[in-house]
Amino acid sequence: MSLWTRISDALAALANGEGLTVVFDRLRTPPERTVAFTIAIIALGAKMAKADGEVTRDEVSAFRRIFTIPPGEEANAARVFNLARQDVAGFEAYARKIAAMFKGDRETLMNIMEGLFHVALADGDYHALENEFLDEVARIFGLSATCVRGLKERLVPDLPHDPYDILDVTPEATLSEIRAAWKAAVRANHPDRLVARGIPPEAVRLAEERLIAVNAAWEEIERARAA
């Protein structure tokens, strides 16, 4: 059964009047967490699009960069998007449900945040309202300020670059501590580990970009410390 068929089944199980927050209560274990991960990005992306006042073709097509949507399955993705936009529940309720579902799984929550950044940046602009939205989602997810800065510096054009933020460490950390953080990030972004955490195979390709940035940050710090 395909991911999108499982998403369709999850939506079909909603009783009349139930919102998407109910879906997150029902999708807590593998393989259902893969469905939840996908719905989380689409649903929060829809709330974010609503927050900045308009939905562009670029924002909608950004989902195609994260997920492979086969011909004929667009309706299932669109249904999630539209349910989220129409749901009276605020984005905070979605974020809290997702944070509870992936409690203790910081890496998966970071992966969801990264997907949201790609949606926010799809139209070529990073709006103040999108920044506020993403900061609040990150706060609800329990992600550190350093972690969020690292995501922004890696993904938002023209922001100052700090390799310590990319590795989520402080400049005061020892080289051995930074090396440990780098190795942990490399392990966490291995495709097999990503799939095991419930991230759809289609979204795993984003990990290649993360690994490039993580390795570059480590090399930059190592060179600077050796100088």
Side-chain angles (χ1 to χ4, degrees):
M1 184 183 296
S2 76
L3 169 65
W4 297 98
T5 300
R6 285 154 53 207
I7 288 174
S8 179
D9 289 347
L11 298 180
L14 290 173
N16 187 38
E18 285 185 321
L20 279 177
T21 52
V22 176
V23 169
F24 296 123
D25 287 330
R26 296 173 180 167
L27 303 174
R28 291 185 173 274
T29 57
E32 288 79 9
R33 277 174 33 131
T34 305
V35 175
F37 179 93
T38 307
I39 291 177
I41 293 182
I42 296 175
L44 280 174
K47 289 292 190 185
M48 182 167 58
K50 187 175 181 179
D52 74 6
E54 62 178 326
V55 182
T56 68
R57 286 181 177 273
D58 290 329
E59 285 173 326
V60 175
S61 65
F63 295 115
R64 291 189 175 277
R65 183 159 187 260
I66 305 168
F67 308 109
T68 300
I69 306 178
E73 298 288 1
E74 292 92 343
N76 289 327
R79 188 177 174 204
V80 176
F81 195 90
N82 290 327
L83 278 173
R85 281 178 56 79
Q86 296 162 9
D87 195 343
V88 295
F91 76 89
E92 298 91 345
Y94 282 39
R96 284 192 292 269
K97 291 284 188 181
I98 294 162
M101 177 184 303
F102 295 106
K103 186 176 181 180
D105 190 350
R106 173 179 171 276
E107 295 296 333
T108 295
L109 292 171
M110 285 179 62
N111 292 138
I112 292 172
M113 287 298 303
E114 180 165 1
L116 292 174
F117 271 103
H118 279 286
V119 174
L121 292 162
D123 61 359
D125 265 328
Y126 185 59
H127 302 284
L129 288 175
E130 290 171 329
N131 185 65
E132 292 175 14
F133 180 101
L134 290 167
D135 280 348
E136 181 60 14
V137 171
R139 187 194 67 77
I140 293 170
F141 282 3
L143 299 176
S144 71
T146 305
C147 169
V148 177
R149 280 201 308 272
L151 282 170
K152 289 179 182 179
E153 289 168 14
R154 183 163 61 82
L155 298 169
V156 180
D158 302 323
L159 285 186
H161 166 81
D162 187 332
Y164 292 97
D165 289 342
I166 302 297
L167 292 177
D168 195 12
V169 295
T170 66
E172 293 72 35
T174 66
L175 189 62
S176 61
E177 289 171 333
I178 298 169
R179 183 186 290 109
W182 163 61
K183 288 184 176 180
V186 170
R187 286 195 302 272
N189 286 291
H190 188 281
D192 290 343
R193 290 178 70 98
L194 292 170
V195 172
R197 292 207 310 268
I199 295 175
E202 300 96 330
V204 170
R205 62 181 175 274
L206 295 180
E208 297 175 3
E209 298 173 17
R210 287 195 294 276
L211 283 174
I212 291 171
V214 162
N215 287 330
W218 162 247
E219 290 169 5
E220 183 178 344
I221 292 171
E222 189 178 35
R223 283 195 305 270
R225 294 285 181 108

